[in-house]
Structures are given as structure tokens and as C-alpha cells.
Amino acid sequence: MLSRLLLATTNRGKIRELVRLFEGSGVELLLPERELDVEEKGGSFFENAYLKAKAYYEAFRMPTLGEDSGLVVPALEGYPGIYSSRFYSLEWGGVEPLEGSRDRANIRKLLRLMEGLQDRKAYFLTCAVVCLDNAGLWAEGRCYGEVLREPRGEGGFGYDPIFQPEGYTKSMAELRPEEKDLLSHRGKAIRRLLELLKMLK
Amino acid sequence: MLSRLLLATTNRGKIRELVRLFEGSGVELLLPERELDVEEKGGSFFENAYLKAKAYYEAFRMPTLGEDSGLVVPALEGYPGIYSSRFYSLEWGGVEPLEGSRDRANIRKLLRLMEGLQDRKAYFLTCAVVCLDNAGLWAEGRCYGEVLREPRGEGGFGYDPIFQPEGYTKSMAELRPEEKDLLSHRGKAIRRLLELLKMLK
């Protein structure tokens, strides 16, 4: 089995969760010494995850893990979707001033666009791609739920404070990290990826 | 190891080669009873291969192999690229009348656009994606060479008659099938994919 994977990201929220999810797996995660400027020009989560994994693979020449995640709101034509992390700055839906963190600006914009909307269904999606060389693995995970009317909780990151998973009465940000990992899109994708990784010599 | 894979394609040229490449591998290939109308809206070979694999997986609920291939000509900004199979019908470069087969119309258009061009470097690329469930494998293969000034040979399909692999004096269409498989983009991608597939329980 593969013993080391370089994370093709410098996003602290993601790194924290990925480190948790790989704990005890036998796969050691490495962080890049510098951030690469990978243009997320892909038209899908899958493509963006691949572009990141590939770019870090080309630069560091070792097996890499790229992931792309986001929140999909069908009532908003799928937005924020692949634009989740920079939703606030998109023309679509009107640019939201960057006061406070990006996370907060993104959340403000999403709540504004969903004001009065009854259909609040949404899902988080993670697509993870491992690049071994000119080949690799991929996995995706989803977490269904709905968009709350105001933020709740301090845990997690991104849209977690306004997302309530199906069957729960807490927001994603109110869950303990171990609870979030069990049901989250990222948790599901990484566990499946690890199953496949463990079969590789 | 996986014993069966559904091919997410109805392209006869591809099917013929894939059947050859999987021969003796222990993986039985199945063909779909009907063609699905998969929109190749992806912006890359990788994305298109994934979209095909996924669509056939959703329809037939068994492990699928999607592949997308094409000829990349750097001197033409990467065209025909992901548009290889319908290059003749693109506005870009001027629509070519569909007289004879699509392959011939594509070739005529490419030769027209490259008339007088000295830089004739090109490569074939295959991206193969296996969809097992919400996860899978991927592999890519490349074959470098150059675009000839006129078609030669009757073998293969697509742009083979006007592509000469590096280090060879024959066109891809003049090679025997076993020779083509050894050096082709598709051969390389599938052999690497099979290595990974064989490790799966």
C-alpha cells in the first residue's frame, strides 16, 4: 500500500479534516512547502480536483491528493457549486463586499439570495483525486441536507454554520468533529478512497 | 479483482481496440445494449471520460469504463483536442462539409488548417476512467509524433492515417494492430489501468 500522500491544498480547514480522516490509516500526509497557483478552471468538482492533484504531482513528483468540495443548491441552479470558496466575488447573484472572512461573505451572499425561498434543499459534495503517476484513484462523497436561515455553531468551516444535514437538528458547525466526519461529504469520499488505496501494493 | 467492465462507448474503432487491449487480462468487457446520449460538455478529456463512465454507471449499475481520446496539435492551440471526433463541424477553423465519413472530413479539415505549417508536432491522448460506484480509477496515455501532409494506410481509425509516431516512418494507420497497441495512447492508458485494476479485490 501507498505510505505517503502529498496534499494538493493549503486550505487550513480542509487540511485539518483530511489529517483527522487519514489518522490511523497507515498513510502519512505531507503538506507542500509552498502553495501552487492552480487555476481552478475546470467546469466540475472532478476536474478541479484532478487539476490540483496533477499540478502538485508535476511540481513535487510524488503521489498527491487533490480535492474539490462545495455546496450545491438546486434552487439556485446549482450555485455556489464549484464557485463555493469565492462565491462572494462572483458577478452572479451580485458581488458581496468582503467584510470579515471569505467564509462570512460567502454565507451572507447565499442567505441573501435564498431569502424567502421555501425550497432550501442542498448538498455538500467532495471529489477527491489521487494522482500516482499517469494514473490514480478517485472518489466522491455527498452529504444531503438543507440551508438554514441563519448561521449556527462555531465548528467546521465554509458553509457549515448554515447547513443542516438530513435527519439532524444541529448545523454542521454545531457537530463535534468526529460527528461531522462520520456523515460529511469529505468523510465519505476519503473513507472510500482509503478502501481503494489499501488494495494497492 | 474486478471481473467485468461495461464499456461506456458505442464507437466501433474504440471498441475493437479496447477488446484487443483487455484480451487475456481476466476482465470481461460488456457492451451496452443501447447508446446513451451523453453530452460531452466537459472541458477536458478527463472530464468527458468521467461523464461517460458515470452516465453508463447510473443507467446500468455496474462497473463501467469511460474513455475520451483525441489529437492535440500545439500549433493549433491544442485543437482538435476534445473536439477531435466532431472537428469537421466546429465553427473554429471553418466548417468542413461531411462528404464520406466523419473521419475523412476531420482529416481534410486538419490538413487544410495545417497547410504550409512547419511545426507539425502533435500527440494523441487517451483518458480512461473506471467508475466502480462513487469511486474508481483513472489513467491517461500519450503518444507523441507529428501530423503528416497526407493520409497513409488503412488501419486504425480517426486521425491515424495522418499521424506518424515519434521514431517511426509509418503512419499509425500503417502499423499492424499489435504494433499500434504497443505504442498508442490507448494502449498505454489501458495497460496502466489494468495494473491498478488487478490490485483491486
Side-chain angles (χ1 to χ4, degrees):
Chain A
M1 173 180 156
L2 201 75
S3 61
R4 287 162 153 207
L5 266 182
L6 176 69
L7 291 188
T9 184
T10 52
N11 177 315
R12 284 157 162 253
K14 286 187 184 181
I15 291 174
R16 200 164 47 228
E17 294 198 0
L18 290 168
V19 166
R20 275 200 321 256
L21 291 165
F22 275 86
E23 224 169 64
S25 70
V27 179
E28 184 186 6
L29 294 183
L30 299 174
L31 304 179
E33 55 163 0
R34 62 181 193 276
E35 185 172 5
L36 297 184
D37 188 20
V38 184
E39 204 193 339
E40 297 192 14
K41 61 173 182 184
S44 67
F45 294 104
F46 190 66
E47 177 74 8
N48 283 333
Y50 168 77
L51 290 174
K52 289 182 223 181
K54 196 86 179 178
Y56 278 83
Y57 174 77
E58 300 291 345
F60 294 90
R61 289 283 151 186
M62 58 173 296
T64 55
L65 169 65
E67 75 105 280
D68 199 43
S69 299
L71 180 66
V72 178
V73 180
L76 295 183
E77 303 171 28
Y79 282 92
I82 55 170
Y83 308 104
S84 289
S85 67
R86 53 189 174 90
F87 189 46
Y88 75 94
S89 67
L90 280 196
E91 290 294 336
W92 192 94
V95 175
E96 184 74 22
L98 179 56
E99 284 154 20
S101 65
R102 283 162 64 123
D103 283 356
R104 278 187 216 168
N106 286 329
I107 285 177
R108 276 199 311 276
K109 174 163 174 176
L110 184 59
L111 290 179
R112 166 165 64 72
L113 293 173
M114 294 187 74
E115 229 171 82
L117 267 192
Q118 290 308 307
D119 177 8
R120 306 189 71 84
K121 282 194 290 293
Y123 60 90
F124 273 122
L125 192 150
T126 285
C127 194
V129 172
V130 167
C131 180
L132 300 169
D133 40 60
N134 58 338
L137 303 168
W138 64 271
E140 81 173 34
R142 290 179 188 220
C143 177
Y144 290 90
E146 59 182 53
V147 176
L148 297 168
R149 289 177 193 275
E150 51 189 34
R152 292 201 323 242
E154 303 295 328
F157 65 102
Y159 297 88
D160 286 353
I162 55 166
F163 182 85
Q164 180 169 294
E166 225 168 62
Y168 284 73
T169 54
K170 288 179 175 174
S171 81
M172 200 80 133
E174 291 175 312
L175 297 174
R176 281 177 293 119
E178 318 82 75
E179 284 177 308
K180 177 178 175 186
D181 290 347
L182 270 179
L183 62 90
S184 79
H185 46 310
R186 189 168 289 108
K188 289 175 188 168
I190 297 300
R191 280 191 295 275
R192 183 70 182 111
L193 196 69
L194 272 168
E195 285 175 11
L196 293 180
L197 269 174
K198 284 184 178 167
M199 295 184 200
L200 299 186
K201 275 160 212 152
Chain B
M1 172 181 158
L2 202 74
S3 60
R4 289 162 150 206
L5 266 182
L6 176 68
L7 291 189
T9 184
T10 53
N11 177 315
R12 285 156 162 253
K14 285 187 184 180
I15 291 174
R16 199 164 49 228
E17 294 197 0
L18 290 168
V19 166
R20 275 201 321 257
L21 290 165
F22 275 86
E23 225 170 62
S25 70
V27 179
E28 184 186 7
L29 294 183
L30 299 173
L31 304 180
E33 54 163 0
R34 62 181 192 277
E35 185 171 4
L36 297 183
D37 188 20
V38 184
E39 204 193 338
E40 297 192 13
K41 60 175 182 180
S44 67
F45 294 103
F46 190 67
E47 177 73 8
N48 283 333
Y50 168 78
L51 290 174
K52 290 182 222 179
K54 196 87 179 176
Y56 279 83
Y57 174 77
E58 300 291 345
F60 294 90
R61 289 281 152 188
M62 58 172 297
T64 55
L65 168 66
E67 75 104 279
D68 199 42
S69 299
L71 180 66
V72 178
V73 181
L76 294 182
E77 302 171 31
Y79 282 93
I82 56 170
Y83 308 103
S84 289
S85 67
R86 54 189 173 90
F87 189 45
Y88 74 93
S89 66
L90 279 197
E91 290 294 335
W92 193 93
V95 175
E96 184 75 22
L98 179 55
E99 286 153 16
S101 65
R102 283 162 63 123
D103 282 356
R104 279 188 216 166
N106 286 329
I107 285 177
R108 277 200 308 277
K109 174 162 172 176
L110 184 59
L111 290 181
R112 167 166 63 73
L113 292 173
M114 294 187 73
E115 232 171 79
L117 267 192
Q118 290 309 308
D119 176 9
R120 306 190 70 84
K121 282 194 291 292
Y123 60 89
F124 273 123
L125 192 149
T126 286
C127 194
V129 171
V130 167
C131 179
L132 300 170
D133 40 60
N134 58 340
L137 303 169
W138 63 273
E140 82 173 33
R142 292 179 187 218
C143 177
Y144 290 89
E146 60 182 52
V147 177
L148 296 169
R149 291 178 193 272
E150 50 189 35
R152 291 201 324 239
E154 302 296 327
F157 65 104
Y159 298 87
D160 286 353
I162 55 166
F163 182 85
Q164 180 168 294
E166 225 168 63
Y168 284 73
T169 52
K170 289 176 174 176
S171 81
M172 200 79 134
E174 290 175 314
L175 296 174
R176 282 178 291 119
E178 318 82 76
E179 282 178 309
K180 178 179 174 184
D181 290 349
L182 271 179
L183 61 90
S184 80
H185 46 311
R186 189 169 288 106
K188 289 175 188 168
I190 297 300
R191 281 191 295 274
R192 182 71 182 112
L193 196 70
L194 272 168
E195 286 176 8
L196 294 178
L197 270 175
K198 286 185 177 165
M199 296 184 201
L200 299 185
K201 276 161 210 149

